[in-house]
Amino acid sequence: MAAPGRAGSAPPLSEDDAEELLRCICFKTGPPRTVGVELEWLVHDRHLPHLPVDEARLDRAFAGLRGLPLGSALTFEPGGQLELSSPPAASLMECIDSTAADLAAVRTALARSGLVLTGCGHDPWNPPRRLLREPRYDAMEACLDRTGPAGRSMMCSTASVQVCLDAGYEEPGPLGLGRRWQLAHLLGAVLVAAFANSPAGAGGETGWRSTRQALWADLDPARALAPPPGAPPRDAWAAHVLDTPVMCVRAAQGPWPVPEGLTFREWIRSGKPRPPTRADLDYHMTTLFPPVRPRGHLELRMIDAQPGETGWMVPLAVTTALFDDPEAAETAYRTVKPLAETAGPLPAPRNPLWVGAARHGLSDPELHGAAVGCFAVALEALPRLGASKAVQDAVAAFHERHVLPGRCPADDFPLLSKETRS
């Protein structure tokens, strides 16, 4: 959640300029060549994970991490979650190997403080606690509080695996921009269901396989939504960005104003409280949290953090295979295309398809069938992408343990009752 530079003497942004920027900078087309991953983790005491870590202890541990020679960017979320963001890699294995090395270094350093990284989409024990006190987080909290408690939980208690892939070719076809955009919003529900791993909060069950996804869907009327389905991606995204209310207006001093109901388009037209600039548009886009966010590449944001030291590799490998291998992409698209009927006209993640994925995981028969087909295709594609035997074996084991029997990691969570698992 890094903040771009604040407005200064930059020229005001016109509505036409804003639309052109959104169409050009958010979808950079070409052959799919690079892959990246952003890994968020909850941080707990090794022996007492159900108790919040003392803030001073956490600060000392994090200070020790900043000097590590990492290839990934290391950042911290408002609730003390740790995030590693890999650089763009030329292959799946380059991404996995470099990120795994960085993770090993971080885990070793945290262990000296008695801390561990917990792979879970939502903190199952502790209530939201904001540790970062900065104007942007003060403004975010004030904005999201207007529609309920989901915002604070999202900021402080959630963690994910975010897969970053190239937008694709300009031309039609299985690797084309339009097809990949549509695939992301249908396959995304399958990924939510297969990797759901957040069934608990405040020490009890929530009724959701992915509480994290339920929270994101409940943020506010527009901020976490995808653009309406059916329109060309560039047009749909540009309109969505401009017609979503701004979270805040950055200021050089003092608290940042938090206007209510002021869309970015209205801000451009009114010029109040000051004319917006290109930097304001860039920042506004970071305050939108759709399940698929175009940032030149496609950022798939719907996957819960996964358990174990290597659990994160499975969604990264499966998603990359289904998007970047042409044969797998075509078959995956045909597999998930019928899900559009269940999704209906509402945008993700508030349509019936996505809500069902978050609530039921792979116990939903339609999602289970799609997951079985997609994982089989991914397993066939991984050797063509150069995936190591260890990665192929990890995906195969997940397929056997979870996908085939219609289960997800949430079903293995110790707080879940037998009734919830059925």
Side-chain angles (χ1 to χ4, degrees), residues 52-221:
V53 179
D54 178 77
E55 186 172 347
R57 178 186 175 194
L58 206 57
D59 286 343
R60 290 193 297 272
F62 286 172
L65 298 178
R66 291 187 173 93
L68 294 176
L70 304 176
S72 302
L74 174 69
T75 54
F76 305 99
E77 296 296 309
Q81 308 99 308
L82 181 149
E83 180 176 342
L84 280 176
S85 301
S86 78
S91 69
L92 172 64
M93 287 312 303
E94 180 184 317
C95 181
I96 288 177
D97 289 343
S98 64
T99 305
D102 288 344
L103 264 177
V106 168
R107 290 183 192 275
T108 298
L110 286 178
R112 291 193 282 268
S113 300
L115 301 175
V116 294
L117 299 178
T118 301
C120 184
H122 179 260
D123 195 314
W125 300 290
N126 303 306
R129 176 185 61 155
R130 184 156 69 93
L131 303 180
L132 297 184
R133 297 291 169 182
E134 300 176 8
R136 57 183 165 140
Y137 294 129
D138 293 343
M140 179 181 290
E141 186 175 271
C143 175
L144 297 179
D145 275 353
R146 289 170 176 161
T147 51
R152 293 195 183 204
S153 292
M154 176 277 290
M155 292 172 64
C156 302
S157 301
T158 63
S160 67
V161 175
Q162 298 178 18
V163 180
C164 300
L165 300 167
D166 287 326
Y169 288 102
E170 191 71 39
E171 298 79 14
L175 299 185
L177 165 64
R179 174 71 67 82
R180 285 163 78 85
W181 182 252
Q182 188 176 5
L183 176 64
H185 288 90
L186 293 175
L187 178 63
V190 179
L191 298 175
V192 170
F195 296 109
N197 186 39
S198 51
E205 300 168 21
T206 64
W208 297 84
R209 294 304 207 280
S210 178
T211 301
R212 173 186 168 274
Q213 184 58 53
L215 289 168
W216 282 97
D218 196 34
L219 283 186
D220 74 12

